[in-house]
Amino acid sequence: MLERIEIDKIVSIAKEAGDAIMKIYNKDFHIAYKDDKSPLTEADTKSNEIICKALKTMYPDIPMLSEENKEVVYEDRKEWEYYWCIDPIDGTKEFIKKNGEFTINIALIHKDTPVLGVVYAPALGDMYKAKKGEGTFKNGKRLPLNTNISPQKKLRVVASKSHLSEETQAFIDNLETEEIEQVSKGSSLKLCMVAEGSADIYPRLAPTMEWDTAAADAIVRESGKMTYQFENNMPMVYNKENLLNPWFIVK
């Protein structure tokens, strides 16, 4: 299945969605709120429509799980061999603030593991892509771009811009190194920063959903890093009965 998926076609879908949402981003737009009080814009809806329609046309036999679609019950999806995991706009709060730090996330999951990921930040012009066995790339350059050769002296830590929990900050403050450089970033760009080597570690001791991390997790893994569950230090898994991610650390 994986071999017949052309990653550049997925990149093209992300770019098409990105073009559409940037038209909305550059004007005044309406903001609605979902039942969980999280914001929803017309850009989320438009991006989701473009991505799902294109994937269904290209790969009609692969099911989809998207933040903006009706939730698929576990009884139906637990037998899925492969499926698309989509977040049409990750970082809607950043989109609303117009700081550019939002992404379009498209992942292909094999059973419980991300094996292909495209993360596109249209306002920044950054495209990350990875396919298992073929490497990870940012704007055509293979990742990682940088490697920290003295982590005991200095660690570069990236944390959430809008959702920094007390537990996450306490974890960062207790890291064993002489110097900590802490930066904030929105959306799945934090995982991508670890993949590219501009950050050494990304701790997330706060709630996220599977679609928030799946695509960037594929980027991380193919760059030679890993997204670990905080509790047991095992790799993160997907298509769980509860789609809420556990606390995790990317390094």
Side-chain angles (χ1 to χ4, degrees):
M1 174 70 78
L2 182 60
E3 63 277 1
R4 74 179 177 90
I5 302 210
E6 296 177 41
I7 193 163
D8 286 337
K9 286 186 176 180
I10 312 306
V11 165
S12 295
I13 294 170
K15 283 183 176 176
E16 184 185 347
D19 289 346
I21 67 175
M22 286 306 293
K23 289 176 183 174
I24 298 167
Y25 182 74
N26 290 323
K27 65 181 181 70
D28 292 330
F29 50 80
H30 176 69
I31 303 164
Y33 288 88
K34 295 186 255 187
D35 291 343
D36 63 359
K37 303 293 188 287
S38 61
L40 176 73
T41 71
E42 57 192 286
D44 295 85
T45 307
K46 183 66 176 175
S47 179
N48 189 61
E49 182 184 296
I50 289 168
I51 294 166
C52 293
K53 184 179 178 181
L55 289 175
K56 191 171 184 181
T57 301
M58 288 183 189
Y59 307 103
D61 55 332
I62 303 179
M64 282 180 274
L65 184 69
S66 170
E67 179 179 14
E68 305 308 340
N69 288 352
K70 185 179 176 184
E71 189 170 324
V72 183
V73 296
Y74 184 63
E75 284 302 307
D76 291 341
R77 58 183 169 79
K78 68 179 181 180
E79 304 299 333
W80 288 354
E81 181 81 5
Y82 284 90
Y83 71 98
W84 297 107
C85 187
I86 304 154
D87 193 344
I89 298 183
D90 182 37
T92 300
K93 287 185 177 179
E94 315 310 328
F95 184 90
I96 291 167
K97 292 174 189 172
K98 297 200 174 187
N99 66 17
E101 295 177 13
F102 58 90
T103 57
I104 294 163
N105 299 344
I106 307 173
L108 182 70
I109 310 289
H110 178 226
K111 295 182 178 175
D112 62 2
T113 304
V115 292
L116 180 150
V118 168
V119 174
Y120 182 39
L124 305 177
D126 288 331
M127 176 69 74
Y128 297 86
K129 64 177 183 177
K131 185 177 177 181
K132 189 175 181 181
E134 295 184 7
T136 294
F137 298 86
K138 176 187 180 183
N139 301 333
K141 293 181 179 178
R142 186 181 282 269
L143 303 186
L145 299 173
N146 303 293
T147 302
N148 184 356
I149 57 171
S150 53
Q152 70 282 0
K153 291 189 176 180
K154 182 178 181 178
L155 278 176
R156 295 161 298 182
V157 184
V158 63
S160 176
K161 182 160 278 187
S162 297
H163 306 278
L164 180 59
S165 69
E166 290 180 13
E167 293 87 348
T168 303
Q169 190 60 58
F171 175 88
I172 294 169
D173 294 340
N174 286 308
L175 286 169
E176 293 182 3
T177 184
E178 291 176 19
E179 182 187 350
I180 295 171
E181 180 187 336
Q182 184 173 338
V183 296
S184 298
K185 205 77 168 180
S187 72
S188 61
L189 290 168
K190 296 182 285 294
L191 290 94
C192 294
M193 285 177 69
V194 177
E196 71 184 47
S198 59
D200 300 309
I201 185 169
Y202 164 38
R204 181 62 178 244
L205 280 58
T208 56
M209 301 299 289
E210 290 189 9
W211 44 73
D212 293 322
T213 58
D217 196 355
I219 309 275
V220 164
R221 294 177 193 224
E222 195 58 19
S223 76
K225 315 289 179 68
M226 182 53 74
T227 304
Y228 295 99
Q229 298 177 54
F230 179 75
E231 281 187 3
N232 57 22
N233 214 33
M234 297 290 287
M236 192 109 94
V237 294
Y238 293 81
N239 203 20
K240 305 184 304 299
E241 185 167 4
N242 183 348
L243 295 169
L244 184 71
N245 284 328
W247 288 0
F248 62 83
I249 297 171
V250 186
K251 58 183 179 178

